[in-house]
């Protein structure tokens, strides 16, 4: 199997697997005061400290959770609930139509419960003009939520500039930065964001583990109740082994990030050149975005059939976000940037990692040409 679906999940790194096994063997609960509990606590806090160091923040600002979906929901629902309780009425939220569904679903839920929600308008590659955000901010804007790197297009937003505009009006800013670590630089103080969400399985850590950054001095009410873990922000017994393994994986991924970025740039260019001979193929991804992602459309070929044919040929790819797989709906990201529904349904995402080789992308390109021929016949 040639695995080209790193944007969905990065295979767990060997160093993370070893770290997970080591920490999972500890019997104690990290909240317990006895020696076994404190041994688990040491691993938990080491994992947290590694994550904090990679993002240049204080470990006390890093909340362990189950991943990006939980973190996105926590910020959108927690911040808006607190704002509404303070003001006695719904307010205003700004986000974008190319967000992950973990942001769009709570945004639409808020909209159905009286909140005014502004969805900014992207350009053809999914970028957002800072002036558009400036013009959209209102006196009752409670939160701005805009991703950093898009999971389907690789588009990278100018997060620091966007955050600065929100901060000038005193509006908190949340960034879904799930796709950045290990490929793109993450500097949370430099960005100036209030909240940020991450998933460990995107950088080679375990699935079901993530982190929520809450800037020092800011508050975020819990959305679940029942315990004092994570400063009361996210109650529940922590996944000690998962957090420790995630930290170990991130330490290594960040140490290799510059080399990984250069490798992915070369792979992306090589793959794009190789698939350019397929009749009618067009590219959708941002040419100056994350080199991890290639998104393309093959007119006249059904995306689901393409994926099945590729799978039979030994290539794993995606039609978009793994969280939306099986919905039979065209990608909301692609339709937001102007593709028709038929074109969106004829589109695929290929995403690469440090272990991907030039030979693999060449083989995958040939397989795609064959899959396209089968799907069109």
């Amino acid at each position: 199997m040639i695995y080209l679906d790193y944007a969905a999940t990065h295979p767990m790194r060997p160093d993370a697997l070893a770290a997970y096994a080591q920490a999972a063997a500890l019997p104690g609960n990290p909240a317990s005061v006895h020696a076994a509990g404190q041994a688990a606590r040491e691993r938990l806090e080491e994992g947290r400290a590694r994550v904090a160091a990679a993002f240049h923040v204080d470990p006390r600002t890093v909340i362990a959770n189950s991943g990006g979906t939980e973190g996105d929901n926590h910020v959108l629902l927690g911040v808006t609930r607190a704002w509404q309780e303070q003001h006695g009425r719904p307010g205003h939220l700004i986000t974008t139509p190319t967000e992950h569904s973990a942001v769009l679903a709570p945004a639409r839920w808020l909209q159905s419960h009286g909140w005014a929600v502004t969805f900014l308008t992207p350009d053809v590659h999914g970028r957002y003009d800072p002036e558009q955000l400036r013009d959209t901010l209102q006196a009752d804007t409670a939160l701005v939520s805009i991703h950093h790197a898009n999971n389907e297009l690789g588009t990278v937003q100018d997060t620091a500039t966007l955050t600065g505009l929100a901060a000038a009006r005193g509006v908190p800013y949340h960034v879904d930065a799930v796709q950045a670590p290990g490929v793109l630089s993450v500097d949370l103080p430099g960005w100036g964001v209030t909240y940020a969400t991450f998933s460990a399985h995107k950088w080679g850590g375990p699935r079901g583990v993530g982190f929520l950054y809450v800037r020092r001095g800011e508050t975020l009410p819990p959305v679940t109740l029942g315990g004092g873990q994570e400063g009361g922000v996210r109650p529940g017994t922590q996944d000690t082994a998962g957090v420790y393994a995630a930290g170990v994986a991130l330490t290594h991924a960040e140490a290799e990030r510059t080399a990984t970025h250069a490798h992915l740039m070369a792979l992306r260019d090589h793959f794009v050149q190789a698939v350019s001979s397929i009749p009618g193929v067009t590219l959708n991804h941002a040419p100056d975005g994350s080199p991890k992602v290639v998104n393309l459309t093959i007119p006249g070929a059904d995306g689901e059939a393409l994926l099945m044919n590729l799978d039979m040929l030994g290539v794993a790819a995606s039609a978009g976000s793994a969280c939306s797989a099986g919905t039979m709906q065209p990608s909301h990201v692609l339709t937001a940037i102007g593709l028709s529904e038929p074109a969106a349904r004829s589109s695929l995402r290929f995403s690469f990692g440090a272990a991907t080789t030039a030979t693999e992308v060449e083989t995958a390109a040939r397989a795609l040409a064959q899959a396209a021929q089968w799907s069109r016949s």
Side-chain angles (χ1 to χ4, degrees):
M1 172 65 69
I2 296 175
Y3 185 77
L4 301 182
D5 202 16
Y6 280 78
T9 287
H10 188 304
M12 201 165 172
R13 296 173 59 102
D15 44 51
L17 276 169
Y20 189 95
Q22 182 190 67
L26 298 173
N29 186 313
S32 299
V33 297
H34 49 61
Q38 291 310 295
R41 185 77 183 184
E42 287 178 8
R43 287 290 179 267
L44 175 73
E45 295 307 327
E46 182 180 343
R48 188 196 314 276
R50 285 173 176 267
V51 171
F55 299 152
H56 313 291
V57 296
D58 188 315
R60 290 171 292 183
T61 65
V62 176
I63 308 299
N65 65 12
S66 67
T69 294
E70 180 185 342
D72 290 345
N73 274 262
H74 192 165
V75 173
L76 266 72
L77 299 179
V79 170
T80 54
R81 185 183 69 188
W83 194 97
Q84 186 164 346
E85 288 175 351
Q86 178 183 355
H87 295 85
R89 60 180 176 82
H92 176 231
L93 168 71
I94 299 174
T95 187
T96 81
T98 56
E99 299 297 317
H100 190 278
S101 58
V103 168
L104 288 179
R108 289 172 178 146
W109 184 89
L110 288 165
Q111 194 173 37
S112 71
H113 285 73
W115 277 75
V117 180
T118 297
F119 296 94
L120 302 180
T121 303
D123 69 11
V124 294
H125 291 301
R127 303 184 194 92
Y128 295 93
D129 185 348
E131 292 302 314
Q132 185 183 174
L133 174 60
R134 187 200 305 273
D135 294 342
T136 307
L137 289 162
Q138 301 173 181
D140 63 346
T141 303
L143 180 69
V144 174
S145 181
I146 302 175
H147 60 275
H148 181 61
N150 187 269
N151 63 314
E152 294 191 39
L153 300 172
T155 309
V156 178
Q157 307 300 334
D158 184 355
T159 299
T161 296
L162 295 169
T163 302
L165 293 173
R169 298 286 294 273
V171 178
Y173 190 103
H174 164 247
V175 61
D176 180 327
V178 163
Q179 292 291 337
V183 179
L184 305 170
S185 175
V186 177
D187 181 2
L188 296 179
W191 288 353
V193 298
T194 318
Y195 309 102
T197 47
F198 302 94
S199 288
H201 70 112
K202 304 298 187 180
W203 63 68
R207 302 166 186 85
V209 177
F211 301 92
L212 168 61
Y213 165 73
V214 181
R215 191 173 63 197
R216 287 291 297 275
E218 302 292 339
T219 59
L220 182 65
V223 292
T224 56
L225 305 175
Q229 294 92 343
E230 300 301 305
V233 177
R234 200 271 187 175
T237 302
Q238 300 97 329
D239 181 354
T240 300
V243 171
Y244 178 56
V248 169
L250 185 57
T251 297
H252 291 284
E254 283 297 296
E256 300 163 5
R257 175 167 50 80
T258 300
T260 297
H261 190 278
H263 176 62
L264 297 184
M265 287 281 288
L267 285 178
R268 184 181 68 177
D269 292 346
H270 194 49
F271 185 70
V272 166
Q273 183 177 13
V275 300
S276 62
S277 61
I278 299 174
V281 68
T282 58
L283 302 176
N284 305 315
H285 61 272
D288 57 350
S290 171
K292 180 178 179 178
V293 174
V294 168
N295 193 298
L296 53 81
T297 299
I298 300 179
D302 177 73
E304 187 176 11
L306 282 170
L307 286 178
M308 290 190 294
N309 289 334
L310 281 172
D311 194 45
M312 287 190 293
L313 293 167
V315 178
S318 170
S321 171
C323 301
S324 301
T327 63
M328 301 300 293
Q329 297 296 316
S331 162
H332 69 273
V333 173
L334 297 182
T335 55
I337 63 170
L339 268 69
S340 66
E341 289 196 4
R345 286 194 175 94
S346 299
S347 300
L348 298 181
R349 178 189 69 185
F350 296 83
S351 48
F352 315 121
T356 309
T357 67
T359 299
E360 286 179 323
V361 299
E362 289 170 2
T363 302
R366 291 194 295 270
L368 179 60
Q370 180 65 72
Q373 183 176 348
W374 288 346
S375 299
R376 284 167 161 169
S377 60

